[in-house]
Amino acid sequence: MDSSNNETTHEFPPYFKVYKDGRVERYMAPDTGGNHLAPAGLDSKTGVQTKDVVVLPESGVSARLFIPKINGPDQKFPLIVHYHGGGFCLGSPFMKPFHNFLVSLASEANAVVISVDYRLSPEHALPVAHEDSWAAMQWISAHSNGQGPEPWLNQYADFGRVFVAGESAGANIAHYVAVQAGTTGLAGPNVIGSIILHPHFGGKEPDKMTNYIYPTSVGFKDPILYPEADPNLSKMAGKKVLVCVAGKDQLKDRGLDYCETLRKSGWNGSVGYFESEGEGHGFFLLNPSSDKVGPLIKAMTVISNIISIETLSTMDSTNTNEVAHDFPPFIRVYKDGRVERLLGTETIPPTTDPITGVQSKDITISQETGVSARIYLPKITTNSTQKLPLLIYIHGGAFCIESPFSPHYHDHLNLLVSQANVVAVSIHYRRAPEHPLPIAFDDTWETMQWAFSHKNSDGPEAWLNEHADFDRVFLAGDSAGATIAHNMVRRVGIDGLQGVKIVGIILVHPYFGNKEPSKFLDFIFPTSTGPDDHRIYPAGDSELSRLGCTKVLVFVAEKDGLNGRGKSYHEVLKKSGWGGTVEIVETEGEDHVFHLFNPNCDKADDLVKRMASFIKEN
């Protein structure tokens, strides 16, 4: 044998070496005996099942599927599309480190995971790995109608909740796939966001290995290596990105740069950041017993709406039982990012109320954000074509607890809808601290636009098409919901509405800020500008005179600690130059939102009757 065949032409430890005869030797490849490979099957500890599938027969691209423990028929799970790391030249989903990590992820996130085995460099130079990964994503997408070739994806994957994820080189690929999905589109799947672990993007210095495995790269202008060079970055699919870095990782700065690049790109989403202190690159694969792996996996489940990325970005992940922030009686936040709501967690399904005859049903406003609403329709004579006022209702709860589905809000809306004879949309906005303010404001505005899309009787919801009068629209809310209602009408006055008339707003025990610092408000609204922020402190708002309605009714309660803020709002609005009329009603001897917690008392009955008459009179 010619000894020259053992000479190398290129060596890039710890990745690979290339011999003169073209052979490639990987330093970290699984051996032929398979000792580094994990067989597919059932994981007895977690109940996660796995199997291997061929994705692209013509190129040999395959994947490993992970299905969490199934607890009932017709169960659907979020889908995580994963791309493994390894410098674009090592690794596969079938190797034990990747397999074990993804079993844990599928179990913790309660999600279907599919990890793509793309072709590796240098035999297949970049961007083949990216092209394979995008083609695999399209193959996966073909299952969104339940008619794809892989039964597990048809049966268990929820294509309304799809996430792309990857570590190191796989994070680079996950980013690429998300941009492709946003630029060219995918038929069927709804990509919610991306999980970017210890990302491998181009650095500031030339890289010989990258030049070798990616000979067609254009260097610093290459969008695959440098996201800041990508003209399509702002089109990236999804509204959430979680970037995870490790404190001792040499690539940490690239993760930080990626966060900043996204925030400046014009992309309309939120970026979360999570750091594993004292750990190195890919530690969760190389040292799976590290006590930092559990918190990292919990952070990744944020993107599946289990834990907030915004909350996790500010928290120490070292102890899952310690409390990081405590704000009784509303919320408690633990150091691992878990949020415990101390009130307002009970829910009740929609129904036809036997007392009032009011019907209700729940609808989804946005699959992407999860914003929803409960719609109410009063008892109507059969075949009636009567148009009724439309009430947009925003629940209270300090922006962080309660929902339209809680029993006291459901009962309150049944009563109000019956007495006022209105169609009502009660909004379930995303709550702090998982979704810091002003997200609740944005969600409410989005829901209003959805409701107003029915003004020509051709929207997606029949009750609004058939019964809502868009010349008689009212907004109402209590406590934090009153704050949001005020902000919505302020925005209407500034931005305007076509084909819709907001007559008035009803603010019950409004929750506005005062001049004293509030640790709670600082925590749930970290981007607030303080006492001059009109969203929380309308008293100093120079645009108050432009309120987009003609009538305002303010309720206050004598024993309510927020009593003074409602009265102040009433006085400031009267003096603002606004051309409408404002009325204030004080309930003696009662406390904050008493009508919700003691709905059978006479004063609660009076309050609801006054709300109803305000709508009927206008």
Side-chain angles (χ1 to χ4, degrees):
M1 179 180 288
D2 185 352
S3 61
S4 65
N5 287 340
N6 293 320
E7 294 182 20
T8 60
T9 59
H10 297 86
E11 291 194 42
F12 299 106
Y15 298 105
F16 65 88
K17 64 175 69 172
V18 182
Y19 293 94
K20 277 191 174 182
D21 64 358
R23 287 179 297 123
V24 176
E25 179 183 343
R26 287 177 168 81
Y27 291 98
M28 300 174 66
D31 63 26
T32 55
N35 291 334
H36 292 83
L37 298 177
L42 173 66
D43 181 75
S44 58
K45 183 178 179 181
T46 63
V48 171
Q49 301 179 68
T50 58
K51 74 172 175 178
D52 299 333
V53 295
V54 176
V55 175
L56 305 172
E58 64 277 12
S59 60
V61 174
S62 59
R64 177 158 287 183
L65 260 169
F66 301 74
I67 305 294
K69 187 175 181 179
I70 299 165
N71 296 314
D74 303 321
Q75 194 169 2
K76 292 284 189 178
F77 303 94
L79 174 63
I80 300 174
V81 182
H82 172 264
Y83 303 98
H84 68 81
F88 304 105
C89 58
L90 295 174
S92 86
F94 318 123
M95 294 176 68
K96 286 182 179 179
F98 294 103
H99 172 88
N100 292 340
F101 179 68
L102 294 176
V103 165
S104 297
L105 176 61
S107 176
E108 182 72 28
N110 202 33
V112 172
V113 179
I114 182 167
S115 185
V116 177
D117 190 30
Y118 52 84
R119 288 176 288 176
L120 301 176
S121 298
E123 297 93 332
H124 304 282
L126 295 180
V128 168
H130 296 77
E131 293 166 352
D132 284 351
S133 298
W134 174 240
M137 185 67 172
Q138 293 173 300
W139 178 87
I140 293 165
S141 300
H143 297 77
S144 60
N145 61 0
Q147 302 297 316
E150 173 44 52
W152 278 12
L153 287 177
N154 291 332
Q155 185 172 356
Y156 298 117
D158 181 354
F159 283 88
R161 294 181 291 164
V162 178
F163 311 92
V164 294
E167 67 282 327
S168 195
N172 178 301
I173 294 173
H175 160 79
Y176 171 85
V177 169
V179 173
Q180 287 293 107
T183 304
T184 65
L186 282 171
N190 180 28
V191 178
I192 302 295
S194 308
I195 307 171
I196 305 297
L197 285 160
H198 304 185
H200 179 173
F201 294 116
K204 297 178 181 179
E205 301 296 328
D207 183 328
K208 290 183 179 180
M209 179 176 146
T210 300
N211 291 339
Y212 181 72
I213 66 174
Y214 190 6
T216 60
S217 171
V218 293
F220 295 118
K221 295 182 180 180
D222 196 308
I224 284 179
L225 297 177
Y226 299 92
E228 63 268 26
D230 191 347
N232 293 317
L233 183 58
S234 64
K235 301 176 184 177
M236 185 171 70
K239 295 295 183 184
K240 296 182 179 180
V241 170
L242 175 65
V243 180
C244 299
V245 300
K248 293 183 178 180
D249 184 2
Q250 292 181 347
L251 298 183
K252 174 182 174 180
D253 288 345
R254 300 189 197 180
L256 295 173
D257 291 343
Y258 180 68
C259 289
E260 193 62 23
T261 295
L262 278 181
R263 289 177 178 131
K264 294 179 179 179
S265 68
W267 172 68
N268 186 26
S270 61
V271 184
Y273 173 78
F274 184 84
E275 180 174 345
S276 301
E277 296 181 357
E279 295 289 354
H281 189 72
F283 74 92
F284 50 91
L285 300 171
L286 304 175
N287 183 20
S289 62
S290 167
D291 61 3
K292 302 292 180 67
V293 175
L296 173 66
I297 293 178
K298 286 184 182 293
M300 293 175 67
T301 65
V302 160
I303 216 73
S304 297
N305 296 320
I306 297 173
I307 304 171
S308 157
I309 59 178
E310 293 86 359
T311 300
L312 281 171
S313 66
T314 63
M315 292 184 184
D316 177 8
S317 63
T318 58
N319 191 320
T320 60
N321 295 317
E322 292 185 16
V323 174
H325 302 277
D326 204 2
F327 297 107
F330 304 119
I331 55 171
R332 180 175 297 127
V333 184
Y334 294 90
K335 283 196 172 183
D336 67 351
R338 287 178 295 123
V339 176
E340 179 184 359
R341 287 182 164 79
L342 307 176
L343 288 173
T345 58
E346 187 180 356
T347 62
I348 188 171
T351 185
T352 298
D353 183 59
I355 298 175
T356 63
V358 172
Q359 300 178 68
S360 58
K361 63 180 173 179
D362 296 339
I363 52 98
T364 299
I365 304 299
S366 171
Q367 291 282 356
E368 191 170 333
T369 63
V371 174
S372 59
R374 179 162 289 182
I375 302 182
Y376 295 82
L377 186 68
K379 189 174 183 179
I380 293 174
T381 305
T382 305
N383 299 323
S384 172
T385 59
Q386 179 187 8
K387 293 286 187 177
L388 305 175
L390 172 63
L391 174 67
I392 306 290
Y393 193 89
I394 306 119
H395 73 82
F399 306 103
C400 62
I401 61 172
E402 298 291 1
S403 77
F405 319 124
S406 72
H408 42 262
Y409 276 106
H410 180 73
D411 292 344
H412 176 58
L413 265 293
N414 276 330
L415 190 59
L416 179 58
V417 166
S418 175
Q419 293 197 16
N421 201 33
V422 295
V423 181
V425 176
S426 183
I427 301 171
H428 186 37
Y429 51 83
R430 288 174 291 174
R431 298 170 300 182
E434 296 95 331
H435 305 282
L437 295 177
I439 289 178
F441 299 102
D442 297 336
D443 288 349
T444 303
W445 183 256
E446 179 185 11
T447 305
M448 287 173 56
Q449 301 312 301
W450 174 87
F452 297 159
S453 72
H454 297 76
K455 62 187 178 183
N456 295 320
S457 300
D458 57 0
E461 174 47 53
W463 284 4
L464 296 181
N465 288 333
E466 295 171 10
H467 300 292
D469 183 350
F470 290 92
D471 285 329
R472 292 184 292 163
V473 177
F474 295 82
L475 268 69
D478 61 90
S479 195
T483 308
I484 297 174
H486 159 77
N487 276 274
M488 295 305 101
V489 177
R490 178 190 187 275
R491 185 167 177 178
V492 167
I494 294 172
D495 295 346
L497 284 174
Q498 294 293 324
V500 175
K501 181 181 179 181
I502 295 184
V503 179
I505 57 172
I506 304 171
L507 308 184
V508 181
H509 310 168
Y511 177 23
F512 294 122
N514 60 16
K515 296 180 180 180
E516 298 300 320
S518 169
K519 290 182 179 180
F520 175 70
L521 277 176
D522 290 344
F523 180 67
I524 67 170
F525 196 178
T527 59
S528 171
T529 57
D532 62 344
D533 195 318
H534 68 80
R535 293 167 291 189
I536 296 294
Y537 307 91
D541 184 7
S542 61
E543 302 289 346
L544 194 59
S545 63
R546 300 178 66 181
L547 213 59
C549 64
T550 56
K551 304 278 186 178
V552 173
L553 174 61
V554 182
F555 286 93
V556 296
E558 181 187 16
K559 294 183 177 180
D560 182 5
L562 301 180
N563 178 299
R565 304 185 200 183
K567 291 181 177 180
S568 174
Y569 176 82
H570 170 250
E571 291 301 317
V572 169
L573 185 57
K574 282 200 304 183
K575 298 174 181 178
S576 68
W578 172 63
T581 59
V582 55
E583 178 185 357
I584 190 167
V585 175
E586 182 171 9
T587 305
E588 295 180 356
E590 296 292 350
D591 211 331
H592 192 66
V593 295
F594 71 93
H595 63 294
L596 296 175
F597 297 104
N598 188 16
N600 296 319
C601 73
D602 291 341
K603 291 177 180 177
D605 185 48
D606 291 341
L607 186 148
V608 173
K609 286 180 178 178
R610 184 66 190 92
M611 293 177 71
S613 65
F614 177 82
I615 294 172
K616 289 181 175 180
E617 292 165 1
N618 295 290

